[in-house]
Amino acid sequence: MARAGEEALIARYFAPLSGPGAEGLRDDAASLTPTPGHDLVVTADAVVAGIHYFPDDPPGSIAVKALGVNLSDLAAKGAVPRGFLLTLALPDDWTEAWLSAFAERLGEASRAHGCPLLGGDTVRSGGPALIGVTAFGEVPAGAMLRRQAARAGDRLCVSGSIGDAALGLALRLAPDPALAASHCDVLLDRYLHPRPRLALVPALRRHARAAMDVSDGLAGDLHKMLAGTGLTARIDVPAVPLSTAAGAAIARDRSRLATALTGGDDYEILCAVPPDSVAAFLADAQAAGVPAAEIGTVTAGDGPPCFLDAQGREITFTRASFSHF
Amino acid sequence: MARAGEEALIARYFAPLSGPGAEGLRDDAASLTPTPGHDLVVTADAVVAGIHYFPDDPPGSIAVKALGVNLSDLAAKGAVPRGFLLTLALPDDWTEAWLSAFAERLGEASRAHGCPLLGGDTVRSGGPALIGVTAFGEVPAGAMLRRQAARAGDRLCVSGSIGDAALGLALRLAPDPALAASHCDVLLDRYLHPRPRLALVPALRRHARAAMDVSDGLAGDLHKMLAGTGLTARIDVPAVPLSTAAGAAIARDRSRLATALTGGDDYEILCAVPPDSVAAFLADAQAAGVPAAEIGTVTAGDGPPCFLDAQGREITFTRASFSHF
């Protein structure tokens, strides 16, 4: 089948996703009217076939991941989404069937999160596909949550459950027939489909002092939150929330605990909360439908955070952080 | 030589380019405080090695192009730059020398245009390099210049000179030893180094009714400006401004005129100006240091614009628009 040119592709697959100010994607730029008294929060993350996802992943799943990893950053900054730009670099063998499925699921995710498409660019990649997203959100003026703003004594909290995606990836690469299929499915799905924790934004704005999303593993990202600030942390590993599926996987092989704590793609929120706000934060998170848990404490000091087991012994990792680069 | 990881690269090469709100590139997002009463204008364009530039182009030239093509879009929309995000997808054989030269010239261009780096992402491309830029600008509320807002009777004007970059590319692919080296150098440089016409923004805001930048060739972009609006245009080809170098190249080979009028990479501004504002627009452009010229008229009608030679005969093109896709 003959494939359409760039203009026709945009009109057919992407214009239906566009929002106000996007001029139906017929212009070279979009305008965005900020809410008075608010700052814009901007972030860009790209995913590449064969590096951030498997080239044969369903195109809809790739769309969910490309948008989701960016919305996860907005959520961590306490921002409400306003829109996104899409840079789509297609391999030579792209098909309209792939693009159609990609755009359809991208549109569903975009509508679900109130984050319309504002524009972008479509190019040939000359290699694997690359999907770059720039996401825009808003926060009240001056209120963007910083990564490095924790203080000694703050409690560390995380949303949801940690390690599911990393275990899902590990099981995809090396299936474990002894693990229940239902558990495997949960973990594989968590790897494929990040769920940005936007519902947590009000609770974060109200209570968190510092926040980031967990994308490169809890251990490494926590280190990034504190490195160079004169602070470190103690983490109570038994308090780190695990899904039932992750718990079952780790029960079969204790070495998977390190995978869960250091592997990437959680897209949960890690935040530092003043001690007297922790109860209110956890209650607000629960009320917003996002489970959250207190997992440790920020302390004065240098060096990487200390992960302690139930007996108070330090757990060491051979590789603290995941890097795709 | 061992190559640094992503965090070290960012700290070494890109943090020095960062502006207010970028948190020194140590966060997952940046905040941008809009000027009250203004809209944000957002645009994203990517350039790919082997498609939009030659892989062995100097890294600094690639940086100038990647940022310049985006700032050209902002200029055409009447926007003043506020900052940019950079998505850098590197091939497996990237070197720190390349990256250092790229970042240095990117910083120079960023400072020259008052457009600091706010953040971005660095990934492996798994193929050729891809440099994606998202640029942010500002316009007074509601004042973004649209591409498709011309009216019948408006005069069409362009900045600078048309066709230099396309002729430069043609000469790079097929050198013409009979053309003076000084002319070749001008044309080759215009292909390598787009110069976004940001100085034209005040004159555009004051006088233009519709505007876009010429990136895919004058003929094709003019068609995009008018297609589907019930309007077309007559262009007086002898009035289309040519540089001395382009004039010399075309004098040697008349077929190069079509290359100049349909080839890409001009990064000049095409705008529609009400007839009684043309003189003031041209004077304001001149005063801003950007030559501009009136080249034709918007007329009622459908179909592609009509290009007329000095005798009023229509010139036809075998390929009206350039497409990298």
Side-chain angles (χ1 to χ4, degrees):
Chain A
M1 186 171 87
R3 299 181 304 186
E6 183 179 5
E7 308 266 308
L9 285 184
I10 292 169
R12 192 175 306 161
Y13 298 115
F14 295 110
L17 281 58
S18 68
E23 305 289 317
L25 307 186
R26 283 185 306 272
D27 212 318
D28 295 312
S31 69
L32 189 64
T33 304
T35 306
H38 285 65
D39 288 342
L40 223 75
V41 174
V42 297
T43 186
D45 267 325
V47 295
V48 177
I51 296 172
H52 303 88
Y53 63 87
F54 291 84
D56 60 349
D57 281 344
S61 298
I62 300 166
V64 166
K65 183 169 282 193
L67 185 60
V69 302
N70 281 277
L71 297 183
S72 177
D73 279 325
L74 291 186
K77 303 294 101 183
V80 170
R82 282 294 312 269
F84 73 105
L85 299 177
L86 175 70
T87 295
L88 192 59
L90 293 173
D92 289 340
D93 62 352
W94 69 273
T95 64
E96 288 218 24
W98 188 96
L99 204 62
S100 171
F102 175 86
E104 187 180 342
R105 190 78 186 270
L106 186 66
E108 286 171 19
S110 151
R111 286 187 294 276
H113 297 301
C115 189
L117 179 62
L118 297 179
D121 195 15
T122 311
V123 297
R124 288 193 290 134
S125 72
L130 175 148
I131 299 133
V133 166
T134 299
F136 310 100
E138 279 188 342
V139 290
M144 185 178 93
L145 279 164
R146 265 66 184 175
R147 187 197 275 185
Q148 294 206 314
R151 298 188 198 161
D154 283 351
R155 301 296 190 258
L156 292 161
C157 299
V158 292
S159 64
S161 55
I162 292 296
D164 296 327
L167 293 170
L169 173 60
L171 288 166
R172 183 156 165 179
L173 295 172
D176 178 353
L179 189 64
S182 60
H183 291 327
C184 288
D185 290 349
V186 166
L187 300 174
L188 289 168
D189 180 71
R190 287 270 287 167
Y191 170 74
L192 269 183
H193 300 124
R195 287 170 180 75
R197 295 295 194 181
L198 290 161
L200 201 61
V201 164
L204 288 168
R205 285 186 181 176
R206 218 171 290 132
H207 305 293
R209 187 127 61 192
M212 68 186 297
D213 74 331
V214 183
S215 54
D216 296 333
L218 177 63
D221 284 340
L222 177 61
H223 189 40
K224 283 181 206 162
M225 178 182 257
L226 301 170
T229 65
L231 297 170
T232 183
R234 273 196 319 272
I235 298 296
D236 175 26
V237 171
V240 174
L242 299 176
S243 67
T244 307
I250 292 168
R252 281 197 24 80
D253 176 354
R254 290 296 298 172
S255 77
R256 286 176 176 153
L257 179 62
T259 302
L261 297 174
T262 63
D265 291 317
D266 287 298
Y267 300 106
E268 296 290 358
I269 306 290
L270 168 67
C271 59
V273 179
D276 55 6
S277 298
V278 171
F281 170 73
L282 296 176
D284 285 357
Q286 191 70 41
V290 183
E294 181 183 346
I295 62 166
T297 304
V298 177
T299 60
D302 289 315
C306 182
F307 284 72
L308 302 173
D309 69 12
Q311 286 72 45
R313 290 172 306 210
E314 187 169 354
I315 302 174
T316 55
F317 306 113
T318 50
R319 191 184 66 165
S321 180
F322 186 78
S323 172
H324 288 107
F325 184 69
Chain B
M1 187 171 86
R3 299 182 304 186
E6 183 178 5
E7 308 266 308
L9 285 184
I10 292 168
R12 192 175 308 162
Y13 298 115
F14 295 109
L17 281 60
S18 68
E23 306 289 319
L25 307 185
R26 283 185 306 271
D27 212 319
D28 295 312
S31 69
L32 190 62
T33 304
T35 306
H38 285 65
D39 288 343
L40 223 77
V41 174
V42 296
T43 187
D45 267 325
V47 295
V48 177
I51 296 172
H52 303 87
Y53 64 87
F54 292 85
D56 60 350
D57 281 344
S61 298
I62 300 165
V64 166
K65 183 169 281 194
L67 185 60
V69 304
N70 281 278
L71 296 184
S72 177
D73 279 325
L74 291 186
K77 302 294 101 183
V80 171
R82 282 293 310 270
F84 74 106
L85 300 178
L86 175 70
T87 295
L88 192 60
L90 293 173
D92 289 340
D93 62 352
W94 69 272
T95 64
E96 288 217 26
W98 188 96
L99 204 62
S100 170
F102 175 87
E104 186 179 343
R105 190 81 185 269
L106 186 67
E108 285 171 19
S110 151
R111 286 186 295 275
H113 297 300
C115 188
L117 179 62
L118 297 178
D121 195 15
T122 311
V123 297
R124 288 193 290 135
S125 71
L130 174 149
I131 299 133
V133 167
T134 298
F136 309 99
E138 280 189 341
V139 290
M144 184 178 92
L145 279 163
R146 265 68 183 173
R147 186 196 277 185
Q148 294 205 314
R151 298 188 198 160
D154 283 351
R155 300 295 190 258
L156 292 161
C157 299
V158 291
S159 64
S161 54
I162 293 294
D164 296 327
L167 293 170
L169 173 59
L171 288 167
R172 183 156 165 178
L173 296 172
D176 178 354
L179 188 65
S182 60
H183 292 327
C184 289
D185 289 349
V186 166
L187 300 174
L188 290 168
D189 180 71
R190 287 270 287 167
Y191 169 75
L192 269 185
H193 300 123
R195 287 170 181 74
R197 294 297 193 179
L198 290 161
L200 201 60
V201 164
L204 288 168
R205 285 185 181 177
R206 217 172 290 132
H207 304 294
R209 187 127 62 191
M212 68 187 296
D213 74 331
V214 183
S215 54
D216 297 334
L218 177 64
D221 284 341
L222 178 60
H223 190 40
K224 283 181 206 161
M225 179 184 257
L226 302 169
T229 66
L231 298 170
T232 182
R234 274 195 319 273
I235 298 297
D236 175 25
V237 171
V240 174
L242 299 176
S243 67
T244 307
I250 293 168
R252 282 198 21 81
D253 177 354
R254 289 296 297 172
S255 77
R256 287 177 176 152
L257 179 62
T259 302
L261 296 174
T262 63
D265 291 317
D266 287 298
Y267 301 105
E268 295 290 357
I269 306 290
L270 168 67
C271 59
V273 179
D276 55 4
S277 299
V278 171
F281 170 72
L282 296 177
D284 284 358
Q286 192 69 42
V290 183
E294 182 183 346
I295 62 166
T297 304
V298 177
T299 61
D302 289 316
C306 182
F307 285 72
L308 302 172
D309 70 11
Q311 285 72 45
R313 292 171 306 211
E314 186 169 356
I315 303 174
T316 54
F317 307 112
T318 49
R319 191 184 66 164
S321 180
F322 186 77
S323 173
H324 288 106
F325 183 67

